[in-house]
């Protein structure tokens, strides 16, 4: 799409959002033209906080389905729209509520900590939700002698064990995008002393990156990557997460250089959301995301704990 076409769609989307009383929220992994029309762009935690705080009547959620569900749980009185119902998440799909119930039955009394990338049914079986931005704080808020079941991301779980020194029982799920960033993808960086390496803890390369221990490696959530790049005196950064974050990094720190460690790190679910689908969603009031009240009530407590822990 060329610049005039994007600009015309931006105008159309903004007019519809105003007419419908909707706020547009977009995840950091959305395509640039969707990020640019949003009222707020952020990671899962930031978007959840925004969804809970907004006084708009509706939320057009440009992200994947579990995120829109989270917004619907936090704001049951608002209409939550997702522009494409097929925008799922391979990580969220790696555990079902039934599998979690079976796991809990094997470990009675254990506390369940779920990464926010889970379905509403799984959240309803969860004690604490977390994002990569506050996962460490959530684990550290739980008494040391308490057994913890952590799900669904294997790499984030392993990283948490390292930084907290706690032993966790970890579900063997993974995100196809982050697991696809392999140790070999970051090897070239070792020979580039002027570049800082920013790694998302879901990445398959996170363990190797931590092992470097050379002061130039930083394991960060996407939101913290942005804070870090803005405040760092360094000018060049290699980024190990989904490539959509590059747009926001470049926008927020235009004087710096950002490069992905892997051009293949693209989430096809995030990329299902387009400006045209967002326009259609606001115009035709589709697709409304709802969560059954009973499930929502059980899931809400775990999500509210996540939103409350910094
Ligand atoms: S990048 Fe991975 S974890 Fe994030 S939405 Fe896509 S599949 Fe899910």
């Amino acid at each position: 799409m060329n610049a005039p076409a994007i600009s015309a769609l931006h105008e159309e989307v903004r007019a519809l959002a105003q007419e419908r009383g909707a706020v547009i929220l977009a995840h950091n992994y959305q395509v640039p033209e969707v990020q640019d029309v949003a009222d707020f762009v952020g990671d899962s935690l930031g978007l959840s906080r925004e969804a809970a705080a907004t006084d708009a009547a509706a939320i057009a959620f440009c992200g994947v389905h579990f995120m829109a569900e989270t917004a619907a749980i936090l704001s049951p009185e608002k209409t939550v729209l997702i522009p494409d119902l097929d925008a799922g998440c391979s990580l969220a799909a790696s555990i079902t509520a039934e599998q979690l119930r079976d796991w809990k039955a094997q470990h009675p009394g254990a506390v369940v900590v779920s990464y926010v990338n889970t379905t509403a049914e799984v959240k309803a079986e969860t004690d604490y939700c977390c994002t990569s931005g506050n996962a460490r704080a959530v684990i550290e808020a739980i008494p040391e002698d308490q057994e913890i079941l952590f799900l669904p991301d294997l790499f984030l779980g392993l990283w948490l064990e390292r930084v907290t020194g706690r032993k966790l029982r970890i579900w063997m799920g993974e995100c196809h995008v982050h697991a696809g960033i392999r140790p070999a993808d970051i090897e070239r960086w070792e020979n580039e002393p002027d570049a800082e390496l920013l790694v998302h803890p879901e990445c398959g390369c996170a363990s190797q990156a931590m092992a470097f221990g050379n002061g130039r490696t930083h394991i960060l959530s996407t939101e913290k990557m942005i804070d870090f790049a803005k405040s760092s005196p360094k000018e060049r950064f290699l980024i190990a997460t989904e490539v959509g974050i590059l747009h926001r990094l470049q926008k927020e720190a235009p004087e710096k250089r950002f490069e992905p460690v892997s051009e293949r790190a693209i989430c096809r679910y995030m990329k299902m959301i387009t400006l045209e689908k967002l326009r259609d969603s606001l115009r035709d009031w589709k697709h409304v995301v709802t969560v059954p009240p009973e499930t929502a009530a059980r899931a809400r407590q775990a999500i509210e704990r996540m939103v409350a822990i910094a």
Side-chain angles (χ1 to χ4, degrees):
M1 213 184 323
N2 58 30
I6 290 173
S7 158
L9 267 168
H10 278 175
E11 266 185 45
E12 204 179 344
V13 164
R14 284 196 189 104
L16 280 164
Q18 194 175 9
E19 188 186 308
R20 296 292 206 156
V23 65
I24 302 171
L25 306 186
H27 190 269
N28 287 327
Y29 298 161
Q30 289 291 292
V31 292
E33 60 270 24
V34 168
Q35 291 191 33
D36 290 345
V37 81
D39 297 297
F40 181 85
V41 183
D43 63 1
S44 298
L45 184 59
L47 295 174
S48 299
R49 288 193 168 130
E50 207 59 31
T54 182
D55 53 13
I59 298 169
F61 207 104
C62 300
V64 295
H65 193 266
F66 77 81
M67 296 177 181
E69 272 187 341
T70 304
I73 291 166
L74 286 172
S75 299
E77 72 292 356
K78 297 181 182 115
T79 303
V80 177
L81 303 169
I82 189 165
D84 190 328
L85 262 184
D86 291 331
C89 167
S90 58
L91 182 54
S94 69
I95 185 166
T96 63
E98 194 180 344
Q99 286 173 313
L100 176 52
R101 280 192 289 273
D102 288 347
W103 200 27
K104 283 166 67 172
Q106 290 162 28
H107 300 280
V111 164
V112 177
V113 179
S114 294
Y115 191 37
V116 70
N117 297 41
T118 47
T119 62
E121 290 77 24
V122 167
K123 287 188 178 77
E125 297 289 337
T126 291
D127 297 301
Y128 292 83
C129 277
C130 67
T131 69
S132 51
N134 70 354
R136 181 179 182 167
V138 168
I139 296 294
E140 286 173 346
I142 297 169
E144 289 215 4
D145 55 352
Q146 176 66 58
E147 184 179 25
I148 297 173
L149 305 183
F150 181 81
L151 64 109
D153 190 74
L154 163 68
F155 295 106
L156 181 59
L158 291 173
W159 175 75
L160 284 168
E161 283 196 326
R162 287 211 196 187
V163 294
T164 65
R166 302 277 291 268
K167 185 82 195 113
L168 308 176
R169 294 195 184 274
I170 302 170
W171 190 258
M172 300 293 275
E174 61 179 31
C175 150
H176 70 293
V177 179
H178 287 95
I181 301 177
R182 305 306 307 168
D185 291 319
I186 59 170
E187 271 168 19
R188 71 182 167 105
W189 165 83
E190 281 184 89
N191 303 317
E192 303 198 35
D194 65 322
E196 300 284 296
L197 178 66
L198 311 188
V199 181
H200 194 282
E202 273 177 41
C203 287
C205 64
S207 304
Q208 179 180 342
M210 288 184 81
F212 286 147
N214 57 9
R216 292 194 292 125
T217 312
H218 311 278
I219 314 286
L220 301 165
S221 67
T222 52
E223 212 53 39
K224 286 181 182 159
M225 282 184 187
I226 291 161
D227 295 343
F228 183 88
K230 281 164 74 175
S231 61
S232 167
K234 297 291 178 60
E235 294 190 346
R236 198 163 156 250
F237 303 86
L238 293 189
I239 307 298
T241 189
E242 212 271 355
V243 296
I245 190 70
L246 275 283
H247 178 68
R248 181 138 178 248
L249 282 164
Q250 207 62 71
K251 213 166 155 178
E252 301 236 5
E255 71 292 358
K256 302 193 174 176
R257 270 177 63 201
F258 302 97
E259 298 159 46
V261 297
S262 170
E263 300 275 1
R264 292 171 284 103
I266 297 172
C267 176
R268 63 190 170 91
Y269 302 111
M270 285 284 182
K271 294 340 186 211
M272 283 178 178
I273 310 296
T274 63
L275 270 185
E276 289 94 335
K277 288 181 193 170
L278 174 58
R279 186 262 326 270
D280 295 351
S281 172
L282 286 163
R283 187 191 58 202
D284 304 335
W285 218 233
K286 66 176 187 186
H287 306 273
V288 177
V289 176
T290 55
V291 176
E294 250 178 53
T295 308
R298 292 172 59 212
R300 190 170 299 119
Q301 196 182 13
I303 299 170
E304 283 176 349
R305 285 175 173 160
M306 169 186 85
V307 173
I309 296 177

